[in-house]
Amino acid sequence: MKLTEIMKQRMAFSFEVFPPKTDKGMENLPGTLEHLCEWKPDYISCTYGAGGSNVGKNMEVCKLIQDAGTTPVTHFTVIGNTKEGIKEQLQNYLDNGVDHMLALRGDLPFGWTGTGGDFKYATDLVAFARKEFGDKFEIAVAGSPEGHITCRSLDADIAVLKQKQDNGADYIMTQLCWDMEQFKYWLDAIRQAGITMPVDVGIMPILDQAATINMALSRNGCVMPRELCEIISQNWIFPNPFVKDPFDADVEGKKAAFKEAGIEYTINQIAEYRAMGVDGIHLYALNKYKDVSEIIERSGMRTMV
Ligand code: FAD
Protein backbone atom coordinates (compact mmCIF):
# COMPACT_ATOMS: atom_id res chain seq x y z
CA MET A 1 0.00 0.00 0.00
CA LYS A 2 1.16 3.52 -0.71
CA LEU A 3 2.28 5.37 2.38
CA THR A 4 0.58 8.51 1.11
CA GLU A 5 -2.71 6.58 1.13
CA ILE A 6 -2.13 5.73 4.80
CA MET A 7 -1.31 9.38 5.51
CA LYS A 8 -4.63 10.42 3.97
CA GLN A 9 -6.44 8.20 6.47
CA ARG A 10 -4.37 8.73 9.64
CA MET A 11 -1.00 9.80 10.98
CA ALA A 12 1.69 7.40 9.75
CA PHE A 13 4.31 6.07 12.12
CA SER A 14 7.77 4.89 11.15
CA PHE A 15 11.39 4.39 12.13
CA GLU A 16 14.76 5.09 10.56
CA VAL A 17 17.77 2.80 10.92
CA PHE A 18 21.26 2.84 9.41
CA PRO A 19 23.47 0.04 8.02
CA PRO A 20 25.72 -0.99 10.93
CA LYS A 21 29.45 -0.49 10.43
CA THR A 22 30.49 -3.66 12.27
CA ASP A 23 29.68 -7.37 11.87
CA LYS A 24 28.37 -7.39 15.44
CA GLY A 25 26.03 -4.51 14.65
CA MET A 26 24.77 -6.40 11.61
CA GLU A 27 24.21 -9.53 13.71
CA ASN A 28 22.15 -7.55 16.21
CA LEU A 29 20.03 -5.76 13.64
CA PRO A 30 17.43 -8.49 12.91
CA GLY A 31 16.58 -8.65 16.63
CA THR A 32 16.33 -4.86 16.85
CA LEU A 33 14.06 -4.73 13.80
CA GLU A 34 11.88 -7.46 15.22
CA HIS A 35 11.42 -5.46 18.42
CA LEU A 36 10.74 -2.26 16.49
CA CYS A 37 8.13 -4.09 14.41
CA GLU A 38 6.24 -4.97 17.59
CA TRP A 39 5.11 -1.32 17.39
CA LYS A 40 3.61 -2.01 13.96
CA PRO A 41 5.35 0.78 12.05
CA ASP A 42 4.00 1.63 8.61
CA TYR A 43 7.55 1.51 7.31
CA ILE A 44 11.19 1.53 8.34
CA SER A 45 13.65 3.55 6.29
CA CYS A 46 17.33 2.80 5.91
CA THR A 47 19.97 5.49 5.37
CA TYR A 48 22.35 5.42 2.43
CA GLY A 49 26.00 6.24 3.14
CA ALA A 50 26.64 8.73 0.37
CA GLY A 51 29.97 7.93 -1.25
CA GLY A 52 30.84 5.80 1.76
CA SER A 53 31.63 2.17 2.30
CA ASN A 54 28.27 1.02 3.68
CA VAL A 55 26.23 1.63 0.50
CA GLY A 56 26.28 -2.11 -0.25
CA LYS A 57 24.83 -2.92 3.15
CA ASN A 58 21.77 -0.75 2.52
CA MET A 59 20.11 -3.44 0.38
CA GLU A 60 20.92 -6.07 2.99
CA VAL A 61 19.21 -3.95 5.64
CA CYS A 62 16.18 -3.34 3.38
CA LYS A 63 15.79 -7.10 3.08
CA LEU A 64 16.02 -7.50 6.86
CA ILE A 65 13.28 -4.88 7.19
CA GLN A 66 11.09 -6.91 4.82
CA ASP A 67 11.86 -10.07 6.82
CA ALA A 68 10.83 -8.28 10.01
CA GLY A 69 7.43 -7.68 8.42
CA THR A 70 7.20 -4.07 7.34
CA THR A 71 7.80 -1.89 4.28
CA PRO A 72 11.40 -0.82 3.65
CA VAL A 73 12.02 2.70 2.37
CA THR A 74 15.52 3.12 1.05
CA HIS A 75 17.26 6.47 1.22
CA PHE A 76 19.10 7.07 -2.05
CA THR A 77 21.54 9.80 -3.04
CA VAL A 78 23.15 11.11 -6.22
CA ILE A 79 26.61 11.37 -4.63
CA GLY A 80 29.21 9.77 -6.92
CA ASN A 81 26.45 8.19 -9.02
CA THR A 82 26.13 8.31 -12.79
CA LYS A 83 22.76 8.16 -14.56
CA GLU A 84 23.48 4.61 -15.67
CA GLY A 85 24.55 3.61 -12.14
CA ILE A 86 21.40 5.14 -10.67
CA LYS A 87 19.20 3.34 -13.18
CA GLU A 88 20.91 0.04 -12.41
CA GLN A 89 20.68 0.45 -8.65
CA LEU A 90 17.04 1.54 -8.72
CA GLN A 91 16.16 -1.42 -10.94
CA ASN A 92 17.96 -3.66 -8.45
CA TYR A 93 15.82 -2.26 -5.62
CA LEU A 94 12.66 -2.95 -7.62
CA ASP A 95 13.86 -6.48 -8.44
CA ASN A 96 14.23 -7.04 -4.70
CA GLY A 97 10.78 -5.71 -3.89
CA VAL A 98 11.92 -2.31 -2.59
CA ASP A 99 9.67 0.25 -4.27
CA HIS A 100 9.75 3.14 -1.79
CA MET A 101 12.62 5.61 -1.75
CA LEU A 102 13.71 8.86 -0.16
CA ALA A 103 15.32 10.76 -3.04
CA LEU A 104 18.19 12.89 -1.77
CA ARG A 105 21.15 14.82 -3.03
CA GLY A 106 23.10 13.34 -0.12
CA ASP A 107 25.62 14.71 2.35
CA LEU A 108 28.82 15.68 0.58
CA PRO A 109 31.64 13.51 1.93
CA PHE A 110 34.30 15.49 3.84
CA GLY A 111 36.49 17.45 1.42
CA TRP A 112 34.16 17.11 -1.58
CA THR A 113 32.92 20.30 -3.22
CA GLY A 114 30.31 18.74 -5.51
CA THR A 115 28.34 15.52 -5.90
CA GLY A 116 30.94 13.88 -8.17
CA GLY A 117 28.07 12.38 -10.16
CA ASP A 118 25.79 13.22 -13.07
CA PHE A 119 23.23 15.07 -10.94
CA LYS A 120 23.63 18.11 -8.70
CA TYR A 121 20.35 18.10 -6.82
CA ALA A 122 17.59 15.89 -5.48
CA THR A 123 15.16 17.50 -7.95
CA ASP A 124 17.16 15.89 -10.79
CA LEU A 125 16.94 12.48 -9.14
CA VAL A 126 13.17 12.72 -8.67
CA ALA A 127 12.66 13.69 -12.33
CA PHE A 128 15.00 10.92 -13.51
CA ALA A 129 13.37 8.22 -11.36
CA ARG A 130 9.92 9.22 -12.66
CA LYS A 131 11.14 9.31 -16.28
CA GLU A 132 12.81 5.90 -16.07
CA PHE A 133 10.44 4.05 -13.77
CA GLY A 134 7.08 5.83 -13.99
CA ASP A 135 4.99 5.19 -10.89
CA LYS A 136 6.88 2.11 -9.77
CA PHE A 137 8.42 3.96 -6.82
CA GLU A 138 6.69 5.94 -4.13
CA ILE A 139 9.09 8.85 -3.70
CA ALA A 140 9.72 10.86 -0.55
CA VAL A 141 11.93 13.96 -0.52
CA ALA A 142 13.73 15.88 2.22
CA GLY A 143 12.29 19.11 3.59
CA SER A 144 14.18 21.45 5.92
CA PRO A 145 11.88 23.49 8.18
CA GLU A 146 14.77 25.80 9.07
CA GLY A 147 16.05 25.90 5.49
CA HIS A 148 18.86 23.67 4.23
CA ILE A 149 22.22 24.85 5.59
CA THR A 150 23.44 25.97 2.13
CA CYS A 151 20.23 27.49 0.82
CA ARG A 152 20.21 31.11 -0.28
CA SER A 153 17.02 31.79 1.66
CA LEU A 154 14.09 29.91 3.15
CA ASP A 155 11.96 31.07 0.21
CA ALA A 156 14.49 29.67 -2.27
CA ASP A 157 14.57 26.37 -0.38
CA ILE A 158 10.76 26.19 -0.44
CA ALA A 159 10.83 26.83 -4.21
CA VAL A 160 13.15 23.81 -4.51
CA LEU A 161 10.69 21.73 -2.48
CA LYS A 162 7.88 22.81 -4.84
CA GLN A 163 10.09 21.74 -7.75
CA LYS A 164 10.47 18.30 -6.14
CA GLN A 165 6.67 18.05 -6.01
CA ASP A 166 6.34 19.22 -9.62
CA ASN A 167 8.92 16.63 -10.69
CA GLY A 168 6.81 13.87 -9.16
CA ALA A 169 7.65 13.48 -5.46
CA ASP A 170 4.89 12.06 -3.25
CA TYR A 171 5.62 13.20 0.29
CA ILE A 172 8.09 15.06 2.50
CA MET A 173 10.32 13.65 5.23
CA THR A 174 11.61 16.50 7.33
CA GLN A 175 14.99 17.28 8.75
CA LEU A 176 14.87 17.30 12.55
CA CYS A 177 13.56 20.57 13.94
CA TRP A 178 13.36 21.43 17.62
CA ASP A 179 12.22 25.01 16.96
CA MET A 180 8.47 24.53 16.96
CA GLU A 181 7.61 28.14 16.04
CA GLN A 182 9.87 27.86 13.02
CA PHE A 183 8.24 24.53 12.09
CA LYS A 184 4.76 26.10 12.17
CA TYR A 185 5.99 29.06 10.09
CA TRP A 186 7.51 26.69 7.51
CA LEU A 187 4.39 24.51 7.36
CA ASP A 188 2.24 27.57 6.61
CA ALA A 189 4.78 28.83 4.09
CA ILE A 190 4.99 25.59 2.11
CA ARG A 191 1.19 25.35 1.93
CA GLN A 192 1.00 28.94 0.70
CA ALA A 193 3.61 28.06 -1.92
CA GLY A 194 1.28 25.37 -3.30
CA ILE A 195 3.04 22.37 -1.76
CA THR A 196 0.35 19.84 -0.94
CA MET A 197 2.54 16.80 -0.21
CA PRO A 198 1.99 15.14 3.19
CA VAL A 199 4.59 16.02 5.83
CA ASP A 200 6.22 13.15 7.69
CA VAL A 201 8.16 14.67 10.59
CA GLY A 202 11.64 13.40 11.47
CA ILE A 203 12.30 13.25 15.20
CA MET A 204 15.63 12.43 16.77
CA PRO A 205 15.32 11.00 20.28
CA ILE A 206 17.47 12.99 22.72
CA LEU A 207 19.48 10.27 24.43
CA ASP A 208 23.12 11.31 24.37
CA GLN A 209 24.73 14.75 24.70
CA ALA A 210 27.46 14.37 22.08
CA ALA A 211 25.11 12.78 19.54
CA THR A 212 22.54 15.55 20.04
CA ILE A 213 25.07 18.37 19.58
CA ASN A 214 26.66 16.54 16.67
CA MET A 215 23.37 16.01 14.84
CA ALA A 216 22.33 19.62 15.33
CA LEU A 217 25.56 21.34 14.44
CA SER A 218 27.93 19.13 12.45
CA ARG A 219 25.93 19.60 9.26
CA ASN A 220 22.46 20.97 9.76
CA GLY A 221 22.74 24.19 11.81
CA CYS A 222 19.57 23.33 13.75
CA VAL A 223 18.42 25.74 16.43
CA MET A 224 18.47 24.26 19.92
CA PRO A 225 15.79 25.87 22.11
CA ARG A 226 16.78 27.22 25.55
CA GLU A 227 15.08 24.27 27.29
CA LEU A 228 17.20 21.75 25.37
CA CYS A 229 20.37 23.80 25.98
CA GLU A 230 19.56 23.83 29.69
CA ILE A 231 19.27 20.03 29.74
CA ILE A 232 22.67 19.79 28.04
CA SER A 233 24.29 22.37 30.37
CA GLN A 234 22.80 20.95 33.55
CA ASN A 235 24.26 17.54 32.74
CA TRP A 236 27.48 18.69 31.06
CA ILE A 237 30.22 16.09 31.18
CA PHE A 238 33.57 17.80 31.83
CA PRO A 239 35.74 18.75 30.03
CA ASN A 240 33.21 18.13 27.23
CA PRO A 241 30.93 15.33 26.04
CA PHE A 242 33.13 14.54 23.04
CA VAL A 243 36.31 13.38 24.83
CA LYS A 244 36.89 9.67 25.33
CA ASP A 245 38.23 9.95 28.90
CA PRO A 246 36.30 12.68 30.71
CA PHE A 247 37.66 13.74 34.13
CA ASP A 248 34.13 14.24 35.46
CA ALA A 249 33.58 12.06 38.56
CA ASP A 250 29.88 11.59 37.81
CA VAL A 251 29.93 10.62 34.14
CA GLU A 252 27.48 7.74 34.45
CA GLY A 253 25.08 9.69 36.71
CA LYS A 254 25.05 12.63 34.31
CA LYS A 255 24.53 10.40 31.27
CA ALA A 256 21.55 8.76 32.95
CA ALA A 257 20.08 12.10 34.08
CA PHE A 258 20.57 13.54 30.60
CA LYS A 259 18.88 10.58 28.98
CA GLU A 260 15.88 10.77 31.31
CA ALA A 261 15.45 14.51 30.69
CA GLY A 262 16.00 13.94 26.94
CA ILE A 263 13.34 11.23 26.76
CA GLU A 264 10.88 13.56 28.49
CA TYR A 265 11.81 16.33 26.05
CA THR A 266 11.30 14.01 23.06
CA ILE A 267 7.91 12.85 24.35
CA ASN A 268 6.77 16.47 24.69
CA GLN A 269 7.97 17.21 21.18
CA ILE A 270 6.04 14.26 19.77
CA ALA A 271 2.91 15.48 21.58
CA GLU A 272 3.31 18.95 20.05
CA TYR A 273 3.73 17.59 16.54
CA ARG A 274 0.73 15.30 16.93
CA ALA A 275 -1.38 18.18 18.20
CA MET A 276 -0.39 20.10 15.07
CA GLY A 277 -1.88 17.31 12.94
CA VAL A 278 1.23 16.36 11.00
CA ASP A 279 0.85 13.47 8.54
CA GLY A 280 3.49 11.22 10.03
CA ILE A 281 5.98 10.77 12.84
CA HIS A 282 9.31 9.33 11.71
CA LEU A 283 11.49 8.36 14.66
CA TYR A 284 15.22 8.04 14.13
CA ALA A 285 15.59 4.74 15.98
CA LEU A 286 19.41 4.95 15.89
CA ASN A 287 19.44 1.12 15.73
CA LYS A 288 18.25 1.00 19.37
CA TYR A 289 14.96 -0.41 20.48
CA LYS A 290 14.90 -0.16 24.28
CA ASP A 291 15.09 3.63 24.61
CA VAL A 292 12.95 4.11 21.53
CA SER A 293 10.31 1.72 22.91
CA GLU A 294 10.28 3.63 26.19
CA ILE A 295 9.60 6.85 24.29
CA ILE A 296 6.78 5.28 22.30
CA GLU A 297 5.24 3.67 25.36
CA ARG A 298 5.39 6.78 27.54
CA SER A 299 4.21 9.06 24.72
CA GLY A 300 1.03 7.00 24.28
CA MET A 301 1.60 7.24 20.54
CA ARG A 302 0.45 3.70 19.82
CA THR A 303 -2.25 3.48 22.48
CA MET A 304 -3.83 6.93 22.84
CA VAL A 305 -4.93 7.24 19.21
P1 FAD B 1 18.62 19.21 -2.35
O1 FAD B 1 17.15 19.27 -2.27
O2 FAD B 1 19.23 18.92 -3.68
O3 FAD B 1 19.17 20.59 -1.79
C1 FAD B 1 20.55 20.81 -1.51
C2 FAD B 1 20.80 22.31 -1.50
O4 FAD B 1 20.78 22.81 -2.82
C3 FAD B 1 19.76 23.14 -0.75
O5 FAD B 1 20.38 24.25 -0.17
C4 FAD B 1 18.79 23.58 -1.84
O6 FAD B 1 18.11 24.76 -1.48
C5 FAD B 1 19.75 23.77 -2.99
N1 FAD B 1 19.14 23.46 -4.29
C6 FAD B 1 18.43 22.35 -4.60
N2 FAD B 1 18.06 22.37 -5.90
C7 FAD B 1 18.56 23.53 -6.40
C8 FAD B 1 18.55 24.12 -7.69
N3 FAD B 1 17.93 23.54 -8.72
N4 FAD B 1 19.19 25.32 -7.87
C9 FAD B 1 19.83 25.91 -6.83
N5 FAD B 1 19.88 25.39 -5.58
C10 FAD B 1 19.26 24.22 -5.39
N6 FAD B 1 22.15 12.15 3.56
C11 FAD B 1 22.82 11.03 3.18
O7 FAD B 1 23.92 11.13 2.64
N7 FAD B 1 22.28 9.78 3.39
C12 FAD B 1 21.07 9.62 3.96
O8 FAD B 1 20.61 8.50 4.12
C13 FAD B 1 20.35 10.77 4.37
N8 FAD B 1 19.12 10.67 4.93
C14 FAD B 1 18.40 11.80 5.19
C15 FAD B 1 17.10 11.68 5.69
C16 FAD B 1 16.32 12.82 5.93
C17 FAD B 1 14.91 12.66 6.43
C18 FAD B 1 16.86 14.11 5.67
C19 FAD B 1 16.05 15.34 5.90
C20 FAD B 1 18.16 14.24 5.22
C21 FAD B 1 18.94 13.08 4.97
N9 FAD B 1 20.24 13.18 4.48
C22 FAD B 1 20.93 12.04 4.14
C23 FAD B 1 20.90 14.48 4.39
C24 FAD B 1 20.77 15.12 3.02
O9 FAD B 1 21.36 14.33 2.04
C25 FAD B 1 21.46 16.47 3.14
O10 FAD B 1 20.69 17.34 3.90
C26 FAD B 1 21.91 17.09 1.84
O11 FAD B 1 22.84 18.12 2.17
C27 FAD B 1 20.80 17.72 1.03
O12 FAD B 1 19.95 16.79 0.52
P2 FAD B 1 18.58 17.25 -0.21
O13 FAD B 1 18.00 16.06 -0.80
O14 FAD B 1 17.79 18.08 0.72
O15 FAD B 1 19.24 18.18 -1.34
Side-chain angles (χ1 to χ4, degrees):
M1 188 179 192
K2 288 210 162 188
L3 296 164
T4 42
E5 287 302 319
I6 293 174
M7 289 187 229
K8 273 184 206 157
Q9 293 163 22
R10 59 171 168 80
M11 193 189 80
F13 172 65
S14 60
F15 295 113
E16 176 174 311
V17 297
F18 57 85
K21 289 204 172 73
T22 61
D23 291 345
K24 181 136 181 43
M26 209 59 197
E27 270 168 40
N28 290 338
L29 194 59
T32 301
L33 292 170
E34 215 170 283
H35 281 293
L36 290 176
C37 280
E38 286 166 9
W39 294 107
K40 303 212 177 327
D42 296 301
Y43 72 89
I44 297 182
S45 78
C46 175
T47 63
Y48 183 95
S53 55
N54 66 351
V55 165
K57 278 197 189 154
N58 167 286
M59 177 64 88
E60 227 176 308
V61 175
C62 285
K63 286 186 184 164
L64 292 176
I65 294 169
Q66 280 168 334
D67 293 345
T70 193
T71 302
V73 174
T74 183
H75 298 202
F76 190 82
T77 81
V78 302
I79 304 292
N81 275 332
T82 60
K83 282 185 197 177
E84 269 317 298
I86 291 172
K87 197 171 159 186
E88 222 170 90
Q89 288 181 69
L90 294 186
Q91 185 60 54
N92 191 31
Y93 281 114
L94 287 177
D95 293 345
N96 282 280
V98 180
D99 56 3
H100 293 73
M101 67 185 276
L102 170 62
L104 298 157
R105 181 199 71 183
D107 280 326
L108 300 185
F110 186 67
W112 290 35
T113 51
T115 63
D118 283 348
F119 294 134
K120 275 172 95 172
Y121 301 113
T123 44
D124 306 326
L125 176 60
V126 176
F128 182 74
R130 280 287 176 245
K131 179 168 89 55
E132 295 295 331
F133 298 99
D135 284 338
K136 287 184 180 156
F137 281 100
E138 185 169 44
I139 302 180
V141 286
S144 302
E146 294 172 273
H148 183 264
I149 188 78
T150 64
C151 71
R152 273 178 290 125
S153 66
L154 189 60
D155 283 349
D157 211 39
I158 290 173
V160 166
L161 195 53
K162 174 73 164 55
Q163 190 62 50
K164 292 179 184 179
Q165 174 175 287
D166 293 345
N167 287 1
D170 293 303
Y171 69 102
I172 301 166
M173 272 196 219
T174 69
Q175 187 55 269
L176 66 93
C177 178
W178 291 302
D179 183 343
M180 302 308 280
E181 289 311 309
Q182 174 62 26
F183 184 87
K184 286 178 204 160
Y185 176 84
W186 173 82
L187 195 55
D188 280 347
I190 65 166
R191 296 306 183 218
Q192 276 177 25
I195 296 169
T196 54
M197 293 186 282
V199 174
D200 196 3
V201 175
I203 295 182
M204 189 180 102
I206 312 275
L207 301 171
D208 174 86
Q209 275 183 29
T212 303
I213 299 168
N214 198 31
M215 189 69 182
L217 301 181
S218 68
R219 284 186 184 272
N220 301 318
C222 289
V223 165
M224 284 194 269
R226 170 75 188 195
E227 191 188 341
L228 180 53
C229 293
E230 281 174 6
I231 295 171
I232 295 173
S233 294
Q234 281 158 2
N235 298 289
W236 191 258
I237 293 168
F238 288 94
N240 66 65
F242 293 97
V243 296
K244 276 212 169 75
D245 299 309
F247 53 66
D248 199 311
D250 188 24
V251 174
E252 292 313 316
K254 284 183 174 176
K255 278 188 177 172
F258 178 81
K259 192 193 271 190
E260 175 49 34
I263 286 177
E264 195 58 34
Y265 188 91
T266 308
I267 290 169
N268 290 338
Q269 203 194 14
I270 290 170
E272 272 193 71
Y273 275 126
R274 290 179 72 200
M276 244 183 257
V278 296
D279 302 291
I281 296 283
H282 181 62
L283 264 184
Y284 304 169
L286 310 165
N287 293 14
K288 297 171 183 199
Y289 71 87
K290 284 192 186 140
D291 296 327
V292 170
S293 292
E294 184 178 342
I295 289 170
I296 298 168
E297 190 138 33
R298 283 171 52 186
S299 72
M301 229 193 312
R302 298 314 262 164
T303 45
M304 291 162 28
V305 194

